[in-house]
Amino acid sequence: MSKAFSLTIGDAAYAVDSTFDVVNPSTGAVVGQAPDASTEDLDAAVAAANSAFKAWSVTSEKDRQAACIAIADKLEENAEELAQILTREQGKPLGGIGSRWEVEKVVAWARFTSKLSLPVEGIQDNEAGRVELHRKPLGVVGSITPWNFPLLIAMWHVAPAILSGNTVVIKPSPYTPLSTLRMIELMSEVLPAGVVNCVTGSDSSGSNIGGAMSAHEGIRKIVFTGSCGTGEKVMESAASTMKRLTLELGGNDAGIVLGDVDAEAIAPGLFWGIFINNGQTCGSLKRLYVHEDAHDQVVDALVAFAKTIKVGDGLAESSVLGPIQNQMQFDKVSRLVADAKSRGDVKLGGEPGEGLFFPPTIITGLSNDDSLVSEEQFGPAIGVVKYTDQDDIIAMANDSDNGLGGSVWSSDVEKARALAGQLECGTAWVNKHGALQPNAPFGGVKKSGLGVEFGDEGLKAYTDIQVIMS
Ligand code: NAD
């Protein structure tokens, strides 16, 4: 890739002294250099965002809604360029549920957000007095994103932040910084200077931009998507400045299949619930519990469907799944699969491929004590647990510190809905898993996070309440 990538700070590209390499996980080739910002560069970004806040926070909501549409149009015009960068640095295929799909969703999310609104709410208006609830923007929002859906998660953070009158400093993952650098550069072309700013740093160079953002005096809120461990650090660093926090953290979602399912019919939905984005998805199905009456048929149908999926270089139009994004994640998946192989039956995959490629892997005969079931694998491997007693299954599914999503699969939708309501998780699906939509609040319970994103509830999280009584 020949393009030079720069930070966006204030009204211009911003030069820094050093850069770090970004690598294509399909090939190991260097695809570009990202700026390795210092904490002084972060200070410059926060200052630019703070200065832009004064004017942006008093623009009309109508103007900010129009800005979301302008963003959507701008990104749509540049969709193929963004998808190409994303595939090169993330590894996901261009086609299928890959980079082009992600950019389409980014554009759709900006358009949906443009229709949201935060009107003044009247609480009381009578002879005793008038009470109004106003929602006010916070100031500078710091957004910290992971490497699995770099553009979509960035849009989840940025669009509601700016619609509600805040300005933003975003820091993408050092594994996938380039697509975000380019997306924010494009957004800044249709926004006043300093409303969106992007700072990148390599976690290994010591500047720890994410940590510095969490503690920064000039940032009023952190919206963070990433692992539970880093989320805890963000919460600790944010305490002294009393930052508002939205934390979207790890999940270990259970999928419960009842004995009455039509195995062939649910196999494609189950497969994508588990293997979307190569399993590198916060809200994907990560533990599969199948009733003994349907177990063998479901496993056979899942394996048969998985065999139709082509894994390969993300830039090849024929690829449907790509590699694991980075060595750390590859090593984790390899460790969990090796452990599961010694305890269960490998029905598909199980052996690492070339480089960072790992084939879809399905291992049966496991229990809640096995690490592929009890830990978040965040990769293309699933452990299957056979169960006999429906009364025990909810307790088994809820036996986890995580509570992001969960699902129940059955021909009896009412029965499945009732069981879904007993799952300890932020979103419970019936006969599907992982579907997110911009009007439905999304967030985790237990250690999977704090607060929600999306829709009116998500938007409110970018504001403080002021009550006016007269
Ligand atoms: P990660 O926690 O390693 O990194 C996330 C971000 O935090 C990166 O930008 C990283 O540079 C930054 N960071 C690193 N150290 C930091 C610090 N001390 N303070 C602040 N920020 C710091 O996560 P990851 O490996 O990029 O992503 C995978 C994890 O994210 C998985 O656990 C997955 O389930 C979770 N995730 C959750 C959601 C959700 O919506 N709940 C969505 C996607 C991913």
Side-chain angles (χ1 to χ4, degrees):
M1 225 179 289
S2 55
K3 183 175 166 30
F5 293 87
S6 322
L7 304 184
T8 293
I9 296 183
D11 60 359
Y14 179 101
V16 302
D17 295 335
S18 52
T19 60
F20 61 96
D21 287 343
V22 180
V23 171
N24 181 340
S26 288
T27 61
V30 173
V31 293
Q33 278 78 35
D36 197 2
S38 63
T39 49
E40 288 74 29
D41 301 323
L42 171 65
D43 291 343
V46 175
N50 257 317
S51 147
F53 179 72
K54 289 180 192 67
W56 184 250
S57 57
V58 295
T59 51
S60 70
E61 189 178 67
K62 200 160 156 267
D63 285 349
R64 297 195 301 267
Q65 289 168 331
C68 288
I69 295 172
I71 288 170
D73 291 344
K74 187 77 184 175
L75 300 183
E76 199 163 37
E77 282 163 26
N78 294 276
E80 182 61 19
E81 180 197 351
L82 288 168
Q84 291 280 342
I85 301 170
L86 182 56
T87 285
R88 282 175 166 81
E89 68 176 358
Q90 208 286 336
K92 65 180 72 188
L94 285 169
I97 310 177
S99 293
R100 291 185 185 123
W101 175 90
E102 183 168 341
V103 177
E104 262 172 42
K105 293 286 169 199
V106 162
V107 170
W109 221 277
R111 290 203 197 288
F112 177 87
T113 306
S114 76
K115 300 192 186 90
L116 295 178
S117 174
L118 286 175
V120 174
E121 293 170 40
I123 291 177
Q124 176 189 312
D125 191 7
N126 57 22
E127 57 288 353
R130 183 178 163 111
V131 181
E132 290 174 351
L133 187 156
H134 294 246
R135 295 203 170 260
K136 304 180 92 171
L138 302 166
V140 178
V141 169
S143 151
I144 304 176
T145 55
W147 47 260
N148 57 343
F149 289 94
L151 293 183
L152 188 53
I153 292 174
M155 183 56 79
W156 291 350
H157 293 182
V158 173
I162 63 172
L163 179 76
S164 47
N166 303 281
T167 55
V168 175
V169 174
I170 183 169
K171 189 209 84 71
S173 165
Y175 290 115
T176 53
L178 303 180
S179 52
T180 306
L181 283 166
R182 181 63 180 137
M183 181 167 87
I184 297 298
E185 185 177 49
L186 288 165
M187 281 187 187
S188 72
E189 289 175 17
V190 297
L191 291 170
V195 171
V196 288
N197 306 272
C198 185
V199 176
T200 52
S202 82
D203 284 347
S204 54
S205 67
S207 53
N208 185 10
I209 297 294
M213 286 171 73
S214 311
H216 206 290
E217 293 279 347
I219 294 181
R220 291 308 311 137
K221 173 187 171 107
I222 292 284
V223 51
F224 170 85
T225 303
S227 61
C228 294
T230 312
E232 284 175 26
K233 287 186 196 160
V234 169
M235 200 168 187
E236 277 172 26
S237 313
S240 64
T241 51
M242 203 53 72
K243 281 188 182 58
R244 278 61 183 136
L245 292 175
T246 300
L247 303 176
E248 297 289 0
L249 308 180
N252 194 12
D253 292 12
I256 300 172
V257 179
L258 304 190
D260 66 357
V261 291
D262 175 342
E264 300 279 333
I266 67 167
L270 262 188
F271 178 85
W272 287 115
I274 298 164
F275 292 100
I276 181 173
N277 206 36
N278 230 2
Q280 302 166 126
T281 305
C282 53
S284 59
L285 198 166
K286 294 180 177 135
R287 302 175 276 151
L288 183 60
Y289 298 90
V290 188
H291 191 271
E292 61 179 356
D293 288 351
H295 180 273
D296 294 356
Q297 301 90 300
V298 167
V299 171
D300 289 349
L302 190 56
V303 167
F305 186 83
K307 283 183 175 165
T308 68
I309 299 299
K310 181 156 172 25
V311 180
D313 187 325
L315 289 173
E317 295 286 351
S318 58
S319 298
V320 181
L321 291 177
I324 292 178
Q325 204 282 329
N326 58 69
Q327 190 69 48
M328 174 203 65
Q329 201 60 41
F330 181 89
D331 292 345
K332 181 170 192 193
V333 172
S334 303
R335 170 176 65 80
L336 294 175
V337 167
D339 183 54
K341 277 164 71 175
S342 69
R343 293 154 178 271
D345 300 318
V346 179
K347 297 294 182 187
L348 186 72
E351 285 299 320
E354 299 260 307
L356 293 178
F357 285 94
F358 205 105
T361 292
I362 299 169
I363 301 183
T364 59
L366 300 180
S367 75
N368 268 11
D369 296 332
D370 295 311
S371 59
L372 183 58
V373 179
S374 62
E375 288 185 37
E376 183 192 32
Q377 65 277 51
F378 214 63
I382 186 77
V384 185
V385 178
K386 188 197 279 190
Y387 72 92
T388 49
D389 190 344
Q390 200 178 290
D391 292 342
D392 295 341
I393 190 58
I394 294 292
M396 281 168 80
N398 287 340
D399 181 20
S400 168
D401 284 342
N402 289 120
L404 194 55
S407 60
V408 181
W409 303 68
S410 170
S411 300
D412 182 342
V413 172
E414 283 314 314
K415 183 175 171 187
R417 217 196 303 268
L419 283 172
Q422 295 178 44
L423 289 173
E424 294 169 352
C425 57
T427 305
W429 291 277
V430 170
N431 291 332
K432 55 186 169 183
H433 198 115
L436 300 181
Q437 50 191 64
N439 59 352
F442 174 68
V445 301
K446 301 204 270 191
K447 288 192 176 174
S448 286
L450 190 71
V452 294
E453 297 187 89
F454 311 165
D456 291 338
E457 294 302 321
L459 189 61
K460 288 174 186 170
Y462 289 89
T463 63
D464 274 338
I465 286 173
Q466 184 181 44
V467 172
I468 298 186
M469 295 190 182
S470 54

